[in-house]
Amino acid sequence: MLLGYARVSTEDQQLDLQRAALTRAGCQRLYEEKRSGAKRARPELERMLDHLRAGDVVVVSRLDRLARSTRDLLDIAERLRESDAGLRSLQEPWADTTSPAGRMVLTVFAGIAEFERALIHERTHSGRLAAQARGVRFGRPVKLSSDQVALAQRLIGEGQTVREVANMLKVHRSTLYRAIAPADTTSDMSG
């Protein structure tokens, strides 16, 4: 079955042109909505995807009506593939997963998107390493200053329990244990 999906971004825009093109293309059922494509929650798109059967073909007037990004398009195309359904765009004839050429083009897009994600990961990793080399600290902020850690070590060395010192510094005992452990691994930290 040919299923048409039509979308406009705002309530004051009309679906008439898309509706007419999808009907001319032979779509037996239309799913329509007036929502921004940038929004992940598109109820009619989800309803259509949930009702797909093997052999169905989703038809759109243009790909940007279905997805706003390559990643979004690939995610939707994967859901279609899992349902043994196809995708066809009226304005972009190369985007037809019911043909070998269309599947190949989508595979190339998927490869490019994966390559782009790998480059982003690599750049992010390099950026983190460079920032760490400059002394930037990642993670949660430190709860205890170096002066507080030194005070805690001194008080524990004088016989106070970790529990007492943690209460005085208004931190959990485990926070205090982590702070003093690297500097003091030999003293008794019971308490």
Side-chain angles (χ1 to χ4, degrees), residues 100-119:
R103 286 191 298 275
M104 189 263 320
V105 168
L106 210 53
T107 300
V108 169
F109 275 1
I112 291 169
E114 185 176 328
F115 176 68
E116 183 179 1
R117 282 192 307 276
L119 286 178

Side-chain angles (χ1 to χ4, degrees), residues 58-155:
V58 173
V59 181
V60 292
S61 60
R62 290 188 343 243
L63 287 176
D64 68 352
R65 300 298 84 205
L66 182 64
R68 283 293 189 183
S69 69
T70 303
R71 179 76 256 149
D72 192 26
L73 175 61
L74 293 172
D75 289 344
I76 292 169
E78 180 60 22
R79 285 184 68 181
L80 293 172
R81 188 192 64 72
E82 288 170 357
S83 298
D84 289 325
L87 170 63
R88 185 179 303 148
S89 170
L90 300 176
Q91 294 294 316
E92 295 106 348
W94 51 264
D96 180 356
T97 65
T98 63
S99 74
R103 286 191 298 275
M104 189 263 320
V105 168
L106 210 53
T107 300
V108 169
F109 275 1
I112 291 169
E114 185 176 328
F115 176 68
E116 183 179 1
R117 282 192 307 276
L119 286 178
I120 290 168
H121 175 74
E122 188 177 298
R123 284 193 301 264
T124 302
H125 181 68
S126 296
R128 285 181 67 88
L129 290 177
Q132 286 174 332
R134 290 191 312 271
V136 174
R137 186 184 178 285
F138 294 94
R140 288 183 171 178
V142 177
K143 293 257 186 190
L144 297 172
S145 69
S146 58
D147 289 341
Q148 288 173 313
V149 171
L151 173 64
Q153 289 170 327
R154 185 176 58 81
L155 292 174

